């Protein structure tokens, strides 16, 4: 699931980008009322994510050509958002440090913030 911030009909919205990246699904149709990505991050629950992952029940599909994509978090609360373990040597080192076997792939990216 890719969460995005975009402008649609002159309004900034939070949405899900479809798998084929041709449509966006506004989060409001899943009952998620967050008005910004920062608000979403601080308020979203795992139940909300499960509801939003069910894109088979979307009622509003907006062609991506009808929106203006913005930075995912237009105004971050922190100064810097970082992608951790972003190259193979670092991933191997991280696994070795945690006494884990390095499998070569990560299911999820590692993000962290710096002030």
């Amino acid at each position: 699931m890719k969460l995005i911030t975009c402008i649609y009909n002159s309004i900034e919205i939070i949405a899900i980008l479809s798998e084929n990246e041709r449509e966006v699904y506004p989060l409001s149709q899943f009952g998620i009322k967050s008005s910004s990505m920062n608000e979403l991050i601080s308020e979203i629950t795992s139940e909300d994510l499960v509801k939003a992952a069910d894109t088979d029940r979307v009622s509003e599909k907006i062609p991506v050509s009808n929106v203006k994509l913005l930075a995912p978090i237009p105004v971050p609360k922190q100064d810097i958002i970082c992608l951790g373990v972003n190259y193979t040597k670092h991933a191997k080192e991280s696994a070795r440090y945690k006494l884990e076997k390095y499998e070569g792939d990560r299911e999820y990216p590692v993000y962290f913030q710096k002030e």
Side-chain angles (χ1 to χ4, degrees):
M1 174 189 312
K2 291 183 182 179
L3 295 172
I4 63 167
T5 301
C6 60
I7 302 287
Y8 178 63
N9 287 339
S10 302
I11 300 170
E12 185 176 301
I13 64 168
I14 312 286
I16 297 172
L17 185 62
S18 67
E19 289 264 337
N20 64 15
E21 299 188 357
R22 294 185 187 147
E23 300 167 322
V24 298
Y25 315 131
L27 283 184
S28 58
Q29 68 183 317
F30 299 100
I32 299 169
K33 304 296 183 204
S34 303
S35 61
S36 72
M37 193 65 80
N38 283 324
E39 188 178 301
L40 177 73
I41 290 167
S42 66
E43 295 178 359
I44 197 160
T45 66
S46 56
E47 291 151 357
D48 290 333
L49 286 172
V50 168
K51 281 192 277 184
D54 186 10
T55 55
D56 291 336
R57 65 184 194 102
V58 297
S59 57
E60 186 177 7
K61 297 178 182 182
I62 304 167
V64 79
S65 59
N66 290 4
V67 302
K68 177 183 178 189
L69 295 175
L70 303 174
I73 306 173
V75 183
K77 286 184 176 183
Q78 302 292 324
D79 293 335
I80 301 172
I81 299 172
C82 306
L83 174 63
V85 194
N86 57 348
Y87 55 96
T88 304
K89 185 176 178 184
H90 190 205
K92 288 178 183 177
E93 177 184 38
S94 177
R96 193 171 46 250
Y97 177 77
K98 294 188 291 184
L99 303 175
E100 296 175 352
K101 182 179 176 188
Y102 176 68
E103 299 291 334
D105 289 325
R106 290 197 170 275
E107 187 173 352
Y108 301 102
V110 175
Y111 293 103
F112 59 95
Q113 299 177 350
K114 289 188 173 186
E115 291 186 45

